[in-house]
Amino acid sequence: MKIKATLDRIPGGMMVVPLLLGACINTFFPNALRIGGFTEALFVNSASALIALFLLIAGTQINFKTAGSSVGKGVTLLVFKWVLGAGLGLIAILLADSNGLFLGLAPLAIIAAMTNSNGGLYIALAGQYGKEDDKAAYPFLALSDGPFLTMVALSIFGAMGFANGMFSPMSFVAVLLPLIVGVIIGNLDHDMGAWLNKGSDKLVPFFAFALGMGINFSAIIKGGLSGILLGVLTVLLTGGIGYIIFKAIGWNPIVGASEGSTAGNAVGTPVAIVAANASFAPIAELATVQVAASVVTTAILLPVFIGFLSKRLEKSGGVAKYNQPKERRE
């Protein structure tokens, strides 16, 4: 069987196929792999550990000369995604109907879904199409995890006051530390870094499958067409604009587009917002299912969108051009 050759022909195949396989198993046979032991540890609960290892290995390939570009890319992705998601949320608030909805979408769902990205998808896509400093931008993107940026947006809009303690700086440190350890190892011993880097790509299908085991296709049904619309808009707008921004700067545009997703933990954002301000309670349930539908929709659609964009880039030299030093580009 030509399993690898087949996966290589599918855009993002090493990530999207295992992810969809895991989602199918989790949807139709949710307890099949939840049997404890090594089986559950690897196929269900391994995503965080494997992504952390992936980050550590990425760190070994970064020298202090390239660290600045990682910071620049990470901050750029974080800021543009928040500005776009918050801006569209504000438009939805201003144009909402008598039920507080815009195009059937809760403004809270728009902000929560569009400002929060799937780090696992970003790591997988940046790992396939980008270079080491692209992957190393991820810890800055982790600042979007959870309700923090949604609360910031809502406080700016005057919908609620900012609640201290909802975000802990230690959470950022916890995400950044594996990368820092990798940077130290790689700069102390380049041979050690080269040895570790040989195994980085092999981690992708395993943590992608584990991510899939956290996805249930029933979320699309519960979220309805409005939730699917939210996912499509998240991919096309945040992914598409990320592509344009990165291309304009001269960075790999595929990496910019890789932020066009909604993270699974965004599903809990409406509930967290209600805990801080009960006035959002009437819309929280609808917002939750719409965000859940966006999570599933973006997980499926983003890799396809990235494959389409990659094909378009081939006419001008492909992503390889952007992964070369600037002085070597044509």
Side-chain angles (χ1 to χ4, degrees):
M1 294 182 67
K2 299 292 184 180
I3 297 176
K4 184 177 184 302
T6 301
L7 292 176
D8 288 341
R9 287 195 294 267
I10 301 172
M14 279 295 179
M15 185 273 297
V16 69
V17 173
L19 183 141
L20 291 177
L21 179 60
C24 287
I25 294 174
N26 187 56
T27 300
F28 300 107
F29 309 101
N31 296 318
L33 297 176
R34 290 180 169 87
I35 58 176
F38 294 145
T39 297
E40 187 169 351
L42 176 61
F43 295 117
V44 180
N45 301 324
S46 63
S48 295
L50 292 178
I51 290 174
L53 179 56
F54 193 85
L55 276 176
L56 187 149
I57 294 173
T60 65
Q61 307 306 302
I62 297 174
N63 56 49
F64 293 114
K65 294 180 180 179
T66 63
S69 64
S70 299
V71 174
K73 292 175 180 178
V75 172
T76 299
L77 288 169
L78 178 69
V79 171
F80 105 77
K81 191 166 172 72
W82 179 80
V83 169
L84 181 61
L88 291 174
L90 177 59
I91 292 173
I93 291 173
L94 296 175
L95 300 180
D97 58 24
S98 58
N99 295 317
L101 304 178
F102 175 69
L103 298 178
L105 292 169
L108 176 58
I110 294 174
I111 300 172
M114 289 194 174
T115 61
N116 194 329
S117 60
N118 188 322
L121 275 178
Y122 174 83
I123 286 286
L125 293 168
Q128 180 173 353
Y129 294 99
K131 52 184 180 178
E132 301 308 321
D133 62 337
D134 296 318
K135 291 181 281 186
Y138 168 71
F140 298 92
L141 308 181
L143 285 170
S144 68
D145 287 351
F148 173 65
L149 291 183
T150 300
M151 292 187 68
V152 172
L154 291 173
S155 67
I156 291 175
F157 302 155
M160 61 179 292
F162 180 71
N164 292 324
M166 291 295 291
F167 169 75
S168 168
M170 189 56 65
S171 301
F172 180 52
V173 174
V175 173
L176 189 63
L177 192 56
L179 180 73
I180 293 175
V181 172
V183 171
I184 294 173
I185 293 174
N187 281 273
L188 289 177
D189 186 349
H190 295 295
D191 291 336
M192 188 67 176
W195 176 76
L196 285 169
N197 193 45
K198 293 177 182 177
S200 62
D201 292 342
K202 298 177 179 61
L203 297 175
V204 173
F206 292 96
F207 72 66
F209 183 90
L211 287 171
M213 287 297 294
I215 294 174
N216 193 311
F217 289 132
S218 64
I220 291 182
I221 299 174
K222 292 180 181 178
L225 292 177
S226 59
I228 296 174
L229 173 63
L230 178 58
V232 172
L233 290 175
T234 299
V235 170
L236 295 181
L237 294 179
T238 64
I241 294 177
Y243 179 94
I244 294 170
I245 291 175
F246 265 50
K247 189 173 184 180
I249 295 174
W251 293 335
N252 185 342
I254 296 297
V255 174
S258 298
E259 265 288 85
S261 64
T262 300
N265 57 21
V267 176
T269 294
V271 174
I273 296 299
V274 170
N277 189 325
S279 66
F280 286 93
I283 205 70
E285 183 177 358
L286 176 62
T288 296
V289 296
Q290 288 179 343
V291 172
S294 180
V295 171
V296 179
T297 302
T298 58
I300 296 170
L301 185 58
L302 181 61
V304 177
F305 184 55
I306 291 294
F308 167 76
L309 294 175
S310 179
K311 289 291 184 182
R312 287 181 58 87
L313 271 183
E314 289 180 1
K315 299 178 181 179
S316 60
V319 296
K321 178 179 70 174
Y322 292 94
N323 291 336
Q324 296 176 355
K326 286 188 176 181
E327 60 271 14
R328 293 177 58 188
R329 299 179 192 171
E330 297 182 356

